[in-house]
Amino acid sequence: MTRVLATGTFDILHPGHIYFLTQARKLGDELFVIVARDSNVTHKPKPIVPEEQRLEMVNALGMVDKALLGSEKDMFEPLKEIKPDIIALGYDQRFDSELLEKELTKRGIPAKVVRIPLSKKCPLCSTGAIIKEVLKRYG
């Protein structure tokens, strides 16, 4: 069994999230997803949807075998339990694949890192685009 791990904020689920998770699922037999904790989202605006609700939404997706909240202290902590074979990164995730693989190896997690390329294009395929459209219409 090949276990794939995907991570993200997953604020306001949209077709871009579905594409990413579907492509990640195709890389193996099981898809685990770590949903970012509200407190850990520092590289973009804080999520609108609270972490528990985002977790519930991701767990409800058919391609996801199990979703869990990330660690507030060490992002690598849940990986020890999950033991992924592959870590799928989205096209826009800020990780350097090589540096991530080196850190995984250093921590005894022999996972391969695969970046899912951007391929799904639609007018509202990002949380930011959805928020802008809502503000345009109702702001």
Side-chain angles (χ1 to χ4, degrees):
M1 293 276 283
T2 300
R3 185 170 287 177
V4 180
L5 173 64
T7 67
T9 306
F10 304 104
D11 192 20
I12 307 178
L13 278 177
H14 55 72
H17 291 132
I18 302 304
Y19 174 79
F20 168 58
L21 294 174
T22 300
Q23 295 305 306
R25 180 66 171 82
K26 289 178 181 179
L27 296 172
D29 304 302
E30 297 180 291
L31 177 61
F32 279 60
V33 179
I34 294 177
V35 175
R37 304 299 299 253
D38 291 342
S39 62
N40 289 348
V41 179
T42 58
H43 60 287
K44 57 185 176 181
K46 290 289 181 196
I48 293 170
V49 178
E51 62 190 30
E52 289 294 339
Q53 283 181 247
R54 293 184 285 114
L55 176 64
E56 181 180 352
M57 295 295 291
V58 172
N59 258 319
L61 298 173
M63 78 289 280
V64 174
D65 293 292
K66 181 173 173 75
L68 59 149
L69 290 173
S71 168
E72 290 187 288
K73 297 175 187 153
D74 177 5
M75 73 176 205
F76 293 96
E77 186 179 308
L79 279 68
K80 293 172 190 161
E81 180 185 324
I82 295 168
K83 298 183 174 102
D85 299 295
I86 297 170
I87 297 176
L89 297 178
Y91 78 96
D92 61 346
Q93 287 182 302
R94 310 174 298 130
F95 295 104
D96 177 311
S97 300
E98 275 187 35
L99 289 176
L100 180 56
E101 278 187 349
K102 285 178 184 172
E103 187 62 30
L104 290 165
T105 300
K106 191 163 70 171
R107 292 170 177 260
I109 304 166
K112 179 181 176 188
V113 177
V114 175
R115 189 164 299 272
I116 306 293
L118 172 64
S119 178
K120 178 79 176 178
K121 293 189 181 185
C122 64
L124 298 175
C125 274
S126 78
T127 300
I130 292 169
I131 291 169
K132 284 179 188 171
E133 185 65 21
V134 168
L135 290 172
K136 184 173 120 184
R137 291 187 192 190
Y138 305 106

